[in-house]
Amino acid sequence: MSIDDVFAFVDQRTDELVKRLGDAIAIPRHAVRDASLRPHVLRMADFLVGHLQRLGFTSIDSRTPSPGTQLLQGQNVPLPPVILATYGTDANKPTVLVYGHYDVQPALKEDGWKYEPFTMHFEKESGRIYGRGSTDDKAPILSWLWVVETYQAIGKDLPVNIKVCFEGMEESGSEGLDDIIIHEADKYFKDVDCVYWLGTQKPCLTYGLRGVSYFMLEISGPAKDLHSGVFGGTVHEPMTDLVQIMSKLVTPSGKILIPGIYDDVAEVTSAEESLYQNLDFSLSDIHNATESQTTIHASVRDTLMHRWRFPSLSLHGIEGAFYSPGAKTVIPAKVTGKFSIRSVPNQTPERISQLVEKYVTAEFAKLGSKNSMKIECPQGGKSWVADVDNWNFVAAKKAIERVFKKTPDLTREGGSIPVTLTFQEALKKSVLLLPMGRSDDGAHSTNEKIDLFNYIEGIKLLAAYLEEVAVVAK
C-alpha cells in the first residue's frame, strides 16, 4: 500500500466526509459567553471521545482543567475537558502530538449569515461548505481522525504514533491548559501539530503568530439608566467618558497611542526581510476577504508586516449601550468598552497590561469626571515564532509539495494561538502549523466556510505529512 492508495480512498469517501463535518457543525459549542450553551460544548467533547474510542485510541483521558468551573453570566459552569488520547506506542516510530480545539466563536443568523450558522450548507456550485467552525477548527480537528480511519480501512500501517490534545476553551483563553501541558511535559507530550493557511491560491507553512491581550474598560456612574431629557447635561455620562478614552487608544491609520507600546518590538532583521520576497500574495487577497478596498498600506510588504510582525490595537464593542434598531434616549448607567492588542516578539502580556492601565488611568483623570473607571485584562497570550529550518518544517514542506505540487510560502499570521508558545517552551519540541483552510474562510466572522477542495486535500496533506515525518532526517 502506498500514499496514493490513501489519497484514492479519501477521494472515494468525499460525500461521507462532508456529511460527518455537518454532524459536527450541528453542535452549537461556543464557550465564549453563553452559559446556557455550555452543555453543547460538553456534548462536542463526547462526540470526539466517541470517535477516538471507535478508532481504537487508548489511554483516553477527558481531563477537567483547573479550577474546574468558570463564572459565566452569573453562573458557575463546568470547564470543558481537555481530551488526551494515544494511538500507537511503537518505540521505533516517531510520535506526533496533534493539538486542536473543539469550541467556536458565537454565531447568530441575524448577524448577517446567509444560512443558519449551526446547520452545514454545502454550495456545490462554489464548492464551499458553510457553518460556524467549519474552518476553525472543526474540519481540521476531525481530519486527523479521518486519516487514522483511512489507514485502518485500507490495511496500511500508520507510520507514526499519534497523541492528541483537544481543548474546548481556545476561543476564550485556553483556561487551565497551560497547567496541564507543564504538568504532563515529561509524561505525555512529545511533538505538536496544528492547522492554517495564508493565501487563497498557494499553500504556506506558518512559522509565527501574534499574541493577544484583551481588555475590558468599564465606566460607571448613576445607579440606574437615566432619561436624557431629564438628566442630559446635568450628570457625568459614562458613555461620553468611555468614547473619549477609546478615541485616544489608536489612530485611524492604525498607530497605537499608548506610550511605550512599541519599545519592546523586535527589530526587522535582514534574514526576516528576505522571507517577504516573492510571496504569492497581493492586496486583492485582502480586498476580496474584506469585500472592500480599505487597506491602510499601499504595498504588500508593509501590509503583511503590519499583519504579522507589528502590534495592532482594535476596538471591538461597547457592552451596556443601546444598540437595537430604532431610537432610545437612554443614558447608560454603566458601559464597558472592549479592545485588544495583538502583540509580537519581544512584547509580553504583563508589560502590555502595565502600559495600558497606566495610560488609561491617566487619560480618565484628565476628564475630571465624577464617574468610576475600571480596566482589566482577562485574557493575555504571548506571540510565537519557530525555526523554519527545523526537520519538522522540512517534512511539512515535502508533504505540501507531494499533495499540492507547489513549494509553500513561509509566512507568519496575525491571529493568536497563545498555547502554541506554551507547547514549544514546556516541551522543548518543534511546533508546526499545517495548512488546511484559506485566508478568505471568514474564521470568527459571518458566513464562515471551508472549501471542499481544502477539506479533502487537507486530509491528504496530513497523511503525507505523517509519512514524511517517519523518514525525514532528525
Side-chain angles (χ1 to χ4, degrees):
M1 289 286 182
S2 70
I3 191 66
D4 290 328
D5 296 304
V6 173
F7 294 171
F9 189 77
V10 171
D11 284 333
Q12 293 170 15
R13 301 176 65 227
T14 294
D15 291 344
E16 180 185 356
L17 295 174
V18 170
K19 179 184 180 301
R20 286 183 174 183
L21 177 56
D23 293 340
I25 289 173
I27 302 176
R29 52 191 172 94
H30 46 89
V32 181
R33 67 188 183 202
D34 194 334
S36 68
L37 290 176
R38 183 55 56 87
H40 293 294
V41 185
L42 303 179
R43 185 157 64 93
M44 186 62 201
D46 292 338
F47 176 90
L48 290 172
V49 168
H51 277 294
L52 292 170
Q53 292 172 335
R54 178 179 62 83
L55 293 171
F57 278 75
T58 61
S59 303
I60 300 174
D61 181 4
S62 292
R63 186 176 306 183
T64 301
S66 179
T69 61
Q70 172 192 26
L71 185 62
L72 188 64
Q73 296 177 317
Q75 303 178 44
N76 275 313
V77 295
L79 288 173
V82 173
I83 302 170
L84 308 177
T86 300
Y87 189 86
T89 56
D90 189 335
N92 296 315
K93 296 179 180 179
T95 299
V96 175
L97 171 64
V98 175
Y99 163 82
H101 66 91
Y102 58 87
D103 59 322
V104 299
Q105 285 283 317
L108 297 170
K109 178 69 161 59
E110 51 266 34
D111 291 339
W113 284 74
K114 294 195 295 183
Y115 313 107
E116 289 293 338
F118 291 103
T119 300
M120 183 192 74
H121 188 92
F122 177 34
E123 285 187 351
K124 291 187 178 181
E125 63 277 10
S126 66
R128 293 178 171 181
I129 302 170
Y130 287 94
R132 172 55 88 220
S134 53
T135 195
D136 182 20
D137 194 27
K138 296 180 182 180
I141 200 172
L142 291 173
S143 292
W144 286 105
L145 305 184
W146 307 157
V147 168
V148 172
E149 186 177 53
T150 297
Y151 274 76
Q152 290 179 351
I154 67 173
K156 180 174 170 58
D157 187 40
L158 199 68
V160 302
N161 304 313
I162 291 180
K163 290 179 178 287
V164 303
C165 176
F166 297 154
E167 67 156 323
M169 286 289 287
E170 192 275 339
E171 299 292 4
S172 37
S174 296
E175 186 169 354
L177 181 58
D178 281 4
D179 292 339
I180 291 177
I181 295 171
I182 293 169
H183 180 265
E184 294 290 342
D186 59 351
K187 303 178 183 68
Y188 175 82
F189 294 115
K190 299 295 182 181
D191 295 315
V192 177
D193 192 281
C194 47
V195 188
Y196 216 68
W197 258 52
L198 165 72
T200 58
Q201 299 298 327
K202 187 177 180 181
C204 73
L205 281 174
T206 301
Y207 68 92
L209 296 166
R210 292 194 292 186
V212 63
S213 294
Y214 199 98
F215 293 91
M216 305 282 200
L217 173 58
E218 178 187 293
I219 309 289
S220 60
K224 60 183 178 180
D225 290 353
L226 303 176
H227 191 298
S228 66
V230 178
F231 295 101
T234 65
V235 299
H236 288 277
E237 299 187 15
M239 178 73 90
T240 303
D241 292 352
L242 180 63
V243 171
Q244 284 289 316
I245 296 176
M246 292 186 76
S247 71
K248 297 177 181 178
L249 295 174
V250 63
T251 70
S253 62
K255 180 181 178 181
I256 303 175
L257 299 176
I258 299 168
I261 201 71
Y262 292 102
D263 291 353
D264 296 326
V265 175
E267 293 186 4
V268 180
T269 65
S270 57
E272 180 188 344
E273 185 85 43
S274 66
L275 294 175
Y276 288 83
Q277 299 174 8
N278 302 316
L279 292 176
D280 185 18
F281 185 86
S282 68
L283 292 182
S284 63
D285 288 325
I286 290 186
H287 296 161
N288 292 336
T290 63
E291 299 181 16
S292 70
Q293 295 193 22
T294 54
T295 45
I296 295 173
H297 306 283
S299 70
V300 167
R301 173 191 173 278
D302 289 345
T303 297
L304 290 180
M305 282 196 169
H306 282 85
R307 175 174 169 173
W308 293 350
R309 64 100 55 229
F310 290 125
S312 65
L313 188 153
S314 298
L315 308 179
H316 301 301
I318 297 177
E319 183 179 340
F322 174 67
Y323 64 90
S324 301
K328 184 178 181 181
T329 57
V330 66
I331 297 174
K334 181 176 71 174
V335 287
T336 302
K338 302 177 183 184
F339 64 94
S340 68
I341 295 176
R342 297 286 176 170
S343 58
V344 298
N346 297 310
Q347 294 178 305
T348 66
E350 295 78 15
R351 178 61 176 161
I352 290 173
S353 291
Q354 291 173 0
L355 293 172
V356 170
E357 182 175 350
K358 179 180 178 181
Y359 178 67
V360 168
T361 301
E363 290 300 314
F364 180 73
K366 292 177 184 178
L367 299 179
S369 174
K370 294 180 180 178
N371 290 323
S372 300
M373 186 275 293
K374 181 173 69 173
I375 179 78
E376 60 179 353
C377 180
Q379 180 179 338
K382 295 180 180 179
S383 58
W384 164 77
V385 177
D387 176 11
V388 298
D389 295 320
N390 182 273
W391 62 264
N392 207 6
F393 280 82
V394 174
K397 178 175 176 290
K398 290 181 178 180
I400 289 173
E401 291 171 344
R402 175 70 177 84
V403 175
F404 294 100
K405 315 300 183 189
K406 294 180 179 180
T407 299
D409 285 334
L410 293 174
T411 69
R412 289 161 72 163
E413 255 303 342
S416 306
I417 311 177
V419 73
T420 310
L421 185 64
T422 305
F423 276 120
Q424 183 167 287
E425 292 182 342
L427 310 188
K428 295 179 172 50
K429 300 291 184 178
S430 172
V431 178
L432 170 74
L433 278 73
L434 269 178
M436 178 169 282
R438 294 161 58 113
S439 64
D440 63 354
D441 279 350
H444 290 205
S445 185
T446 55
N447 301 315
E448 180 181 352
K449 59 85 179 174
I450 188 168
D451 288 18
L452 177 65
F453 174 83
N454 289 77
Y455 179 35
I456 298 303
E457 297 307 303
I459 297 170
K460 298 177 186 177
L461 174 61
L462 301 184
Y465 165 71
L466 296 182
E467 294 284 348
E468 295 295 342
V469 165
V471 298
V472 71
K474 308 295 194 292

